[in-house]
């Protein structure tokens, strides 16, 4: 009977191989989708944490227009910069301006397409408060000079010394004088970033005497909650201060909900389809095997096989 069972398995080796393959592929697809989502989440968390490690607090408008990473907020007075710098416990405070800026590549087409964010702003001089690190060239010094992230330069086939157009949406001709990384990456995904001088950013991206936010570094021994509490006392209505940890968490949550959440759902749909196909394959295979084994068992009983055999 053992030899007969082994021959039966060998005769149906394709069926069993197909069943095994269906199980492996279904489980592998689901495991791969979940592992990829967790890996991307961990990488983005690490990237945001390293890029914003030096920022202890951010002073910004309490009114946000839209949602997501770098969601636009109403500008705040540039005079708040002096107010914040005079707060005890502030080691440094730098103005930050953020707006729309589309880079045109060497072929004249927009870099990054229509999906990823395309931002522009001023170059923050304090390395501790700037998430970008210069890897080639230098920071802009005049209104007709810009620095772009290295990922955008690669996608647009641009190099230091090239003249390109930055649409803010007003078209601005500028020379690329430097390339920078976002933390340790060439950029934040496929998004692009263009850095002007502070005066040029104020002219092209906001209003005279207005900035987007104030980036604050704490003095040694001053915790983020204590710094936030001190700054909040001197701010006018409509302006808020949040800790650097909260900013990192907000950015990470925005990435998870807007990009990684969609990607996870997309991959899980295909994983579910793979598992469904595996279930149908296994069910069909076993239904055929049950019918065949029933006939074989009946035949063996007719030739004298016992129930136990």
């Amino acid at each position: 009977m053992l030899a007969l069972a082994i021959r039966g398995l060998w005769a149906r080796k394709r069926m069993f191989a197909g069943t095994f393959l269906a199980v492996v592929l279904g489980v592998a697809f689901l495991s791969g989708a979940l592992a990829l989502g967790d890996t991307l989440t961990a990488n983005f968390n690490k990237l945001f944490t390293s890029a914003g490690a030096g920022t202890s607090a951010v002073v910004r408008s309490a009114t946000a227009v839209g949602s997501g990473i770098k969601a636009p907020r109403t500008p705040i007075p540039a005079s708040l910069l002096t107010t914040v710098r005079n707060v005890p416990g502030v080691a440094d405070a730098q103005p930050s301006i953020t707006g729309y800026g589309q880079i045109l590549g060497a072929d004249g087409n927009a870099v990054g397409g229509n999906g990823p964010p395309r931002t522009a702003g001023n170059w923050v001089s304090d390395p501790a408060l700037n998430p970008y690190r210069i890897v080639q060239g230098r920071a802009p010094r005049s209104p007709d000079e810009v620095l772009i992230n290295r990922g955008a330069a690669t996608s647009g086939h641009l190099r230091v010394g090239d003249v390109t157009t930055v649409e803010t949406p007003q078209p601005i001709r500028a020379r690329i004088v430097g390339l920078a990384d976002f933390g340790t990456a060439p950029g934040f995904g496929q998004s692009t970033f263009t850095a002007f001088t502070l005066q040029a950013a104020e002219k092209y991206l906001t209003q005279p005497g207005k900035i987007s936010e104030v980036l604050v570094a704490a003095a040694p021994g001053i915790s983020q909650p204590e710094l936030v509490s001190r700054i909040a006392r001197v701010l006018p209505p409509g302006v808020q201060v949040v800790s650097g940890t909260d900013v990192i968490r907000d950015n990470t949550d925005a990435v998870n909900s807007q990009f990684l959440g969609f990607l996870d759902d997309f991959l899980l749909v295909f994983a579910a389809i793979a598992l469904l196909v595996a279930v149908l394959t296994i069910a069909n295979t076993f239904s055929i095997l049950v019918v065949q084994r029933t006939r074989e068992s009946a035949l063996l009983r007719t030739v004298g096989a016992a129930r136990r055999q």
Side-chain angles (χ1 to χ4, degrees):
M1 291 299 295
L2 179 60
L4 182 62
I6 293 175
R7 291 194 199 99
L9 289 174
W10 182 254
R12 302 180 182 90
K13 57 183 178 295
R14 292 185 178 180
M15 284 188 175
F16 287 106
T19 302
F20 178 78
L21 184 62
V23 173
V24 170
L25 291 179
V27 174
F29 210 135
L30 179 60
S31 301
L34 296 175
L36 177 61
D38 290 344
T39 301
L40 289 176
T41 299
N43 288 340
F44 276 117
N45 290 345
K46 182 179 179 181
L47 180 62
F48 278 120
T49 301
S50 63
T55 303
S56 303
V58 175
V59 178
R60 64 191 186 185
S61 171
T63 304
V65 183
S67 60
I69 305 172
K70 292 296 183 181
R73 292 178 177 267
T74 55
I76 60 176
S79 57
L80 284 176
L81 182 63
T82 302
T83 302
V84 173
R85 284 175 173 170
N86 291 331
V87 173
V90 172
D92 190 18
Q94 292 290 328
S96 176
I97 297 175
T98 304
Y100 175 81
Q102 177 177 275
I103 309 170
L104 299 186
D107 57 359
N109 295 323
V111 177
N114 295 320
R118 290 164 290 184
T119 59
N122 66 297
W123 181 255
V124 178
S125 58
D126 189 343
L129 296 173
N130 193 339
Y132 287 90
R133 306 287 181 264
I134 296 179
V135 295
Q136 185 178 349
R138 58 174 175 81
R141 298 171 183 167
S142 61
D144 61 345
E145 294 180 344
V146 294
L147 176 147
I148 65 176
N149 65 296
R150 186 160 56 96
T154 302
S155 300
H157 304 287
L158 298 170
R159 298 176 298 178
V160 173
D162 289 349
V163 176
T164 185
T165 298
V166 183
E167 298 176 343
T168 62
Q170 173 188 350
I172 301 167
R173 296 288 290 175
R175 183 177 301 277
I176 300 174
V177 296
L179 305 179
D181 283 355
F182 181 79
T184 57
F188 173 66
Q190 295 299 314
S191 63
T192 65
F193 174 71
T194 305
F196 295 93
T197 62
L198 178 61
Q199 293 74 19
E202 184 176 340
K203 176 181 177 181
Y204 300 136
L205 305 175
T206 183
Q207 309 167 17
K210 299 286 187 178
I211 58 176
S212 299
E213 55 191 19
V214 178
L215 308 177
V216 186
I222 304 297
S223 66
Q224 290 191 11
E226 182 179 359
L227 183 66
V228 168
S229 177
R230 293 182 181 183
I231 296 175
R233 300 190 191 104
V234 301
L235 297 180
V239 180
Q240 65 177 195
V241 56
V242 293
S243 67
T245 302
D246 289 339
V247 172
I248 292 174
R249 185 183 65 249
D250 291 344
N251 289 338
T252 304
D253 291 343
V255 171
N256 291 336
S257 62
Q258 295 181 6
F259 171 66
L260 296 182
F262 171 78
L263 180 62
D264 286 344
D265 294 341
F266 181 78
L267 293 176
L268 287 176
V269 167
F270 281 94
I273 294 175
L275 289 176
L276 177 61
V277 172
V279 169
L280 294 177
T281 301
I282 295 169
N284 182 63
T285 300
F286 273 87
S287 64
I288 295 174
L289 289 175
V290 167
V291 173
Q292 292 176 343
R293 284 296 296 163
T294 302
R295 292 176 180 175
E296 290 178 0
S297 298
L299 178 60
L300 291 173
R301 291 301 297 274
T302 60
V303 296
R307 180 182 297 273
R308 182 177 180 182
Q309 290 176 316

